[in-house]
Amino acid sequence: MTATPPLVTAKVAVVVPALDEERGIGACLATLVPEADLVVVADAGSRDRTVHCAQAAGAQVVVAERGRAVQMNAGAACASGADVLVFVHADTRMPAGWRAVAEEALADGRQWGRYDVRLDDEAPLLRLIARMMNARSRLTGVCTGDQSIFVSTQAWTRCGGYAPMPLMEDIELSKRLRRLAGPPACPRMRVLVSARRWRARGVVRTVLLMWALRLMYVAGVPAATLHRFYYGR
């Protein structure tokens, strides 16, 4: 019997956009640094100890202009030589084995994908929201930043990265990747995401707001207008 050649492990780089995240950035990076070949924190001028905490946790820090899309592009530009890029929000905790799951999905022929989410609040309504987010993504092939998108660098280069939009950059990226690289992989592994925006704004209000934003985006409302609507400025 012929021995199966060993798998060549891809170089995996993680990009974390951050702004004033000193309270949680260490816990986020603690779930990334042990498994990634490189972790880049793209900081947009934090006034707290985010940069210090990121460096202490073993991440490389790059200073970027403010804006999640711009920050993630800046972080990805620092990951030369990577075969896989993973984009993780600073309030997310990745489960052990996240790297292997992404590598397996890409080895099966997919060019990109995302994880399921679980919110860090056990309220029944929030558990339902997480299940709906996962089901909607699996049905539509549209992934959000909360789901920690991973992508081969070949597909990333082909699609040109994130569009420099102040909002909906993940939806726009998903549509281009789906068109250029096929449907996403949707493994069942769940990442733990902070429910802080739901708690801060109110659960029902936040859900209605996000639906309204999506409908306006589909209707062609400019991303800058949506950003002002969402943030109130």
Side-chain angles (χ1 to χ4, degrees), residues 4 84 181 204:
T4 302
V84 182
V204 175

Side-chain angles (χ1 to χ4, degrees), residues 2 15 26 41 48 55 63 118 121 124 126-127 131 142 171 182 200 205 209-210 217 228:
T2 304
V15 176
V41 172
D48 61 7
Q55 291 171 333
V63 177
R118 177 170 65 91
D121 191 313
L126 287 172
R127 290 204 303 269
R131 288 198 294 270
V142 173
I171 308 300
R205 182 184 176 192
L209 176 61
M210 296 307 297
Y217 176 68
R228 289 194 296 271

Side-chain angles (χ1 to χ4, degrees), residues 8 19 27 38 46 55 57-58 62 73 113 116 122 125 130 135 151 158 170 187 205 210 217 232-233:
V8 177
L19 177 64
L38 173 67
S46 293
Q55 291 171 333
V62 59
N73 283 342
D116 276 355
E122 292 300 315
L125 185 53
V151 57
R158 234 162 76 204
D170 45 4
R205 182 184 176 192
M210 296 307 297
Y217 176 68
R233 59 180 186 270

Side-chain angles (χ1 to χ4, degrees), residues 57-88:
Q60 176 181 326
V61 176
V62 59
V63 177
E65 292 184 19
R66 186 168 181 171
R68 186 170 280 164
V70 176
Q71 289 171 247
M72 290 189 288
N73 283 342
C78 294
S80 60
D83 302 296
V84 182
L85 294 171
V86 187
F87 297 92
V88 179

Side-chain angles (χ1 to χ4, degrees), residues 66-138:
R66 186 168 181 171
R68 186 170 280 164
V70 176
Q71 289 171 247
M72 290 189 288
N73 283 342
C78 294
S80 60
D83 302 296
V84 182
L85 294 171
V86 187
F87 297 92
V88 179
H89 288 179
D91 61 357
T92 297
R93 311 289 179 266
M94 300 292 282
W98 60 263
R99 173 181 178 142
V101 167
E103 287 181 323
E104 182 179 353
L106 297 176
D108 284 343
R110 297 298 177 95
Q111 291 294 302
W112 69 294
R114 89 315 175 261
Y115 303 86
D116 276 355
V117 299
R118 177 170 65 91
L119 299 177
D120 66 351
D121 191 313
E122 292 300 315
L125 185 53
L126 287 172
R127 290 204 303 269
L128 175 61
I129 287 170
R131 288 198 294 270
M132 290 175 64
M133 290 170 62
N134 299 329
R136 180 189 65 217
S137 175
R138 198 165 270 110

